[in-house]
Amino acid sequence: MILTVTLNTALDITYRVRELRPHGSHRVSEVTERPGGKGLNVARVLAALGHEVTVTGFTGGTTGHVLRTRLADTPGVRDALVPVSGTTRRTIAIVDQLSGDTTQLNEPGPTVTAAEWSAFRTTYESLLPGVSAVALCGSLPPGLPVGAYAGLVRTARTAGVPVLLDTSGEPLRRGVAARPDIVKPNTDELAELTGSHDPSRGARDTRRRGARTVVVSLGAKGLLAATPDGSWQATPPARLPGNPTGAGDSAVAGLLSGLVEGLPWPDRLARAVALSAATVRAPAAGEFDRATYEELLERVTVTGDVSAA
């Protein structure tokens, strides 16, 4: 069983329009709604790969009810979300079909009380026994301490559960110091953390700060990994047009599934890159085009230097 944590869950709403024009009126050609937030996207991809997944985090209000109802229809995903008095946020993605670009609008999320945070920590600790890996994903909702993820990392490590952290800003900085097994920043998040715009240098610096392994998202150029066993870069064969929302979450699912299956790092990275690229071709985050994934998996290029860790 894999556990994913989404402290700031969302109902993801995707609108497709022919062309997005500022100040204009638009006719929407297609609308999709999905349970969202990074950890829920990760969970759906893991379930599609055949893994059993439990999801936890916060949910509340009318939007939270819709999210949980839709989540119940997802095979392989168990709901262990913790209720809050506030209302779960919505995220709006507007896909411009002419250009292929996506505009994202993200609500802040409900304010979480101290009692609700305590109830979540109790639930989290109760879920860790028997879990093969845990992913801590996304932003912190209002009301939570900036060191929330750092505490959850330490709890997982105490339980002997490998933990992947995917967040940004000060929560990432505090979380890295708690020594997670894997962190997955993008280049901007890494530069903010380390002050370096060189991904290789930034990844090495992040390992010195406490992370055991650093996997950097390079966008359309793939992934760069600095691990205890060496450094690798995995590159997709081509840039695919489509909606990039959720591509990084699919990469996390690839890394987690490779971890629990005991795959070597080059294979984990190839899977993560292929899944990420295949998500760009899917209609919504947390999904991937399986035919594209299987075709790309054979064509991802992985180069490495085992002496560069």
Side-chain angles (χ1 to χ4, degrees):
M1 178 73 72
I2 298 173
L3 176 65
T4 73
V5 174
T6 313
L7 296 177
N8 208 5
T9 59
L11 184 65
D12 286 344
I13 304 170
T14 302
Y15 295 128
R16 294 181 179 274
V17 300
R18 182 180 181 277
E19 182 182 7
L20 182 62
R21 303 180 306 277
H23 315 299
S25 178
H26 299 79
R27 185 176 297 278
V28 176
S29 61
E30 182 184 353
V31 181
T32 58
E33 287 187 350
R34 299 286 189 279
K38 295 176 74 64
L40 294 186
N41 295 337
V42 171
R44 284 202 303 278
V45 175
L46 285 168
L49 292 171
H51 289 274
E52 293 185 354
V53 191
T54 295
V55 298
T56 191
F58 296 111
T59 187
T62 302
T63 309
H65 175 73
V66 174
L67 183 153
R68 299 188 84 161
T69 299
R70 292 186 176 275
L71 188 63
D73 296 329
T74 307
V77 177
R78 174 192 168 206
D79 178 353
L81 294 166
V82 175
V84 293
S85 57
T87 299
T88 296
R89 66 189 178 125
R90 297 163 297 176
T91 65
I92 311 295
I94 306 172
V95 180
D96 183 322
Q97 294 175 300
L98 199 61
S99 68
D101 292 336
T102 299
T103 299
Q104 192 84 15
L105 305 174
N106 297 326
E107 296 179 357
T111 297
V112 177
T113 68
E116 290 165 345
W117 175 228
S118 178
F120 170 81
R121 294 200 308 271
T122 299
T123 296
Y124 177 71
E125 291 177 12
S126 73
L127 291 169
L128 287 174
V131 166
S132 55
V134 58
L136 308 174
C137 303
S139 61
L140 296 177
L144 290 193
V146 71
Y149 278 134
L152 298 181
V153 169
R154 286 191 288 267
T155 300
R157 287 179 55 82
T158 299
V161 178
V163 56
L164 182 152
L165 176 63
D166 183 13
T167 189
S168 60
E170 190 61 22
L172 174 61
R173 187 182 306 276
R174 301 281 188 96
V176 165
R179 306 185 67 81
D181 295 270
I182 304 172
V183 294
K184 196 208 71 64
N186 60 33
T187 52
D188 290 340
E189 293 162 349
L190 187 69
E192 181 183 3
L193 174 67
T194 66
S196 174
H197 291 276
D198 178 338
S200 295
R201 180 178 299 172
R204 291 193 297 270
D205 181 43
T206 303
R207 290 198 65 222
R208 287 192 291 269
R209 291 167 183 251
R212 179 173 174 81
T213 289
V214 182
V215 180
V216 186
S217 174
L218 306 176
K221 296 181 180 178
L223 296 172
L224 173 71
T227 84
D229 302 318
S231 296
W232 289 270
Q233 182 167 343
T235 308
R239 179 168 186 161
L240 299 178
N243 179 8
T245 305
D249 305 331
S250 291
V252 168
L255 296 172
L256 275 177
S257 61
L259 169 66
V260 301
E261 293 171 28
L263 297 181
W265 270 107
D267 292 345
R268 296 187 206 181
L269 294 171
R271 176 182 290 182
V273 166
L275 282 170
S276 180
T279 296
V280 173
R281 303 296 293 159
E287 300 178 1
F288 64 94
D289 184 272
R290 187 170 292 275
T292 300
Y293 163 64
E294 292 174 353
E295 188 267 335
L296 288 177
L297 187 58
E298 303 299 322
R299 300 173 56 206
V300 173
T301 301
V302 182
T303 57
D305 180 0
V306 295
S307 66

